[in-house]
Amino acid sequence: MRLSVSGVRVLVSCSLGGAGHFNPLRPVIDSLCNSGDDVLVVVPPSLEARVAECGYRVRVGEEPPAEQVADIRDAIATAPQAMAAVVSERELFGRLCTAAMLPAMEAAFAEWQPELVLRETCEYAAAVAAARRGIPQAQIAISQGETEASALGTAAPVLEAYESGVVGQIRSSPYLTRFPASLDPTCYPDTRRFRELPRHDVAKLPEFWGSEAFPLAYLTFGSVTGYMPIAADVYPVALEAMKDLPLRVLLTVGNRTDIAGLGPIPENVHVEPWVSQDDIFREASLVICHGGSGTTFGALAAGLPLVIVPLFADQFSNARRVAAAGAGLLVEPAPGEDGRRPGLVPGDAARVAEAVTTVLADPAYTQAAARIAREMASMPPVEQVLEALRAELASGTSHEHSA
């Protein structure tokens, strides 16, 4: 019989990166709060409002200067993939974000004295502070295990400068992921997969188009693309691809993008800054996206096929996994002659439209997505995974899992 312990002081940490970094933490935080644990969420200033809206207790650290982050995001979006990984994982998250967050994190540990640390995989200040004090920690995946392990290896040299041995402690700590084994082979010795409980407050979408004669497609490039210069090319090409398709298309662009500046909006497309993905997934027939992990695996959990147009970071590996599983198609922008990635170019509109038409016409893509959805639904609930962590904390033991 598994020991149940409540009232554990849990520090949860997140780095900058928008919804893709914070949203994977939400079901974990909600479960902790529902179980009576005492939770403190430590985030950079860019996430303070989002965390406060959720009703969580929040402590705010620091983040690198905005202009420095903007320069790095520009480089991530256009540089060859190997160089982009170094810039993103080592320089941004490993060096700059850790240095910015560590003073506030050290103060939070000293004053609040957490018994357990749960951190998203790109937030390293909490890992350093926990390692210095011998406090148990676990990491929560925001991407595939292979991507996460590679990112940690890239960041390792700068992390070891903060605390010798911290990388080994991260690698051996429990690794919690909502991604299915068929698309995400385990890379960590203590991998624990979980499923999120379905939301009960899913709302029907407004009748944006005044008619439901055509299937609904969800089009998004995430919450970060709007911060990058490539957005000026990406959105017009995507809209051009949608204009003659027999679809109702809901495009979300994030709060950073000026909708009025997108240019002509086709009659079958409605644009919003943000709409809850769960609300959209309930009604959509297809998702067209950049391959961000939150959107990609959220769509698969709902049994929706995808057309993925990867732009940067883990989006390329996500897209290839989905295509290999038969649950969607990959439309990969070609790099320029210098190896840099220009985002979408006008000629890509026809390729995107053709991929959308193919996925809608062939039920095999939806059947493959439904198969993955069943696999994800069969994983243990997040409550069960957290209960095991509490039990191990109480007994002073840990167990290796491999899923």
Side-chain angles (χ1 to χ4, degrees):
M1 181 176 180
R2 189 178 281 114
L3 175 65
S4 180
V5 180
S6 62
V8 174
R9 290 191 305 281
V10 185
L11 185 146
V12 181
S13 67
C14 185
S15 189
L16 80 161
H21 288 241
F22 177 63
N23 285 348
L25 299 174
R26 291 194 59 183
V28 175
I29 299 171
D30 289 341
S31 178
L32 292 168
C33 294
N34 291 338
S35 297
D37 295 310
D38 194 5
V39 181
L40 175 66
V41 184
V42 184
V43 296
S46 56
L47 283 171
E48 179 181 8
R50 185 185 297 269
V51 176
E53 287 173 1
C54 296
Y56 306 140
R57 183 194 307 176
V58 60
R59 183 160 185 157
V60 181
E62 297 295 335
E63 60 192 16
E67 61 275 11
Q68 202 168 29
V69 174
D71 290 342
I72 288 176
R73 281 176 168 157
D74 292 350
I76 292 169
T78 60
Q81 289 186 43
M83 183 184 301
V86 172
V87 172
S88 174
E89 309 304 340
R90 182 178 299 168
E91 296 305 315
L92 179 58
F93 293 111
R95 188 188 306 278
L96 297 176
C97 290
T98 303
M101 282 289 288
L102 196 52
M105 196 68 72
E106 289 281 10
F109 272 71
E111 297 168 17
W112 200 65
Q113 298 185 349
E115 300 166 278
L116 175 65
V117 173
L118 300 178
R119 39 169 291 276
E120 59 98 345
T121 47
C122 283
E123 201 297 294
Y124 296 117
V128 171
R132 288 173 174 174
R133 294 164 174 81
I135 297 173
Q137 61 173 289
Q139 50 186 332
I140 300 169
I142 60 174
S143 188
Q144 297 176 55
E146 289 182 355
T147 301
E148 305 283 25
S150 176
L152 178 60
T154 301
V158 297
L159 297 178
E160 286 293 309
Y162 284 106
E163 180 69 16
S164 179
V166 66
V167 173
Q169 292 190 37
I170 292 173
R171 290 192 191 280
S172 63
S173 68
Y175 177 79
L176 281 55
T177 179
R178 67 200 191 284
F179 303 147
S182 64
L183 269 68
D184 180 32
T186 185
C187 288
Y188 288 90
D190 192 355
T191 296
R192 311 185 188 198
R193 302 187 192 275
F194 67 89
R195 73 173 188 270
E196 302 174 12
L197 292 182
R199 280 181 47 201
H200 298 294
D201 59 342
V202 176
K204 181 174 175 57
L205 293 176
E207 294 183 3
F208 293 125
W209 302 267
S211 170
E212 297 183 1
F214 294 119
L216 171 64
Y218 177 41
L219 173 62
T220 180
F221 293 98
S223 59
V224 173
T225 300
Y227 290 80
M228 299 177 171
I230 59 170
D233 298 319
V234 167
Y235 288 115
V237 172
L239 289 169
E240 176 69 19
M242 298 297 108
K243 71 176 185 179
D244 293 323
L245 297 178
L247 291 170
R248 294 173 294 135
V249 180
L250 176 57
L251 167 63
T252 60
V253 295
N255 295 319
R256 180 79 176 190
T257 301
D258 177 17
I259 294 176
L262 293 177
I265 307 296
E267 291 185 0
N268 65 329
V269 177
H270 179 81
V271 185
E272 289 284 331
W274 180 88
V275 178
S276 170
Q277 285 195 160
D278 289 335
D279 296 346
I280 303 171
F281 290 159
R282 189 181 69 165
E283 301 183 32
S285 298
L286 171 74
V287 174
I288 306 143
C289 68
H290 59 329
S293 292
T295 302
T296 299
F297 287 94
L300 292 172
L304 297 175
L306 298 111
V307 170
I308 302 181
V309 185
L311 301 175
F312 52 87
D314 61 347
Q315 298 161 14
F316 294 88
S317 59
N318 287 341
R320 291 167 189 145
R321 292 275 186 187
V322 170
L329 287 177
L330 160 64
V331 181
E332 184 166 350
E337 293 182 358
D338 60 356
R340 297 174 70 84
R341 302 191 307 277
L344 290 175
V345 298
D348 290 326
R351 298 171 60 217
V352 174
E354 181 181 4
V356 170
T357 300
T358 300
V359 170
L360 284 173
D362 188 346
Y365 293 103
T366 300
Q367 292 165 2
R371 182 174 63 250
I372 296 168
R374 290 192 294 271
E375 179 186 358
M376 295 177 76
S378 71
M379 297 190 298
V382 63
E383 288 78 5
Q384 181 176 328
V385 173
L386 293 174
E387 188 179 358
L389 280 178
R390 292 190 199 93
E392 292 162 17
L393 181 64
S395 64
T397 62
S398 62
H399 304 283
E400 283 195 356
H401 295 239
S402 182

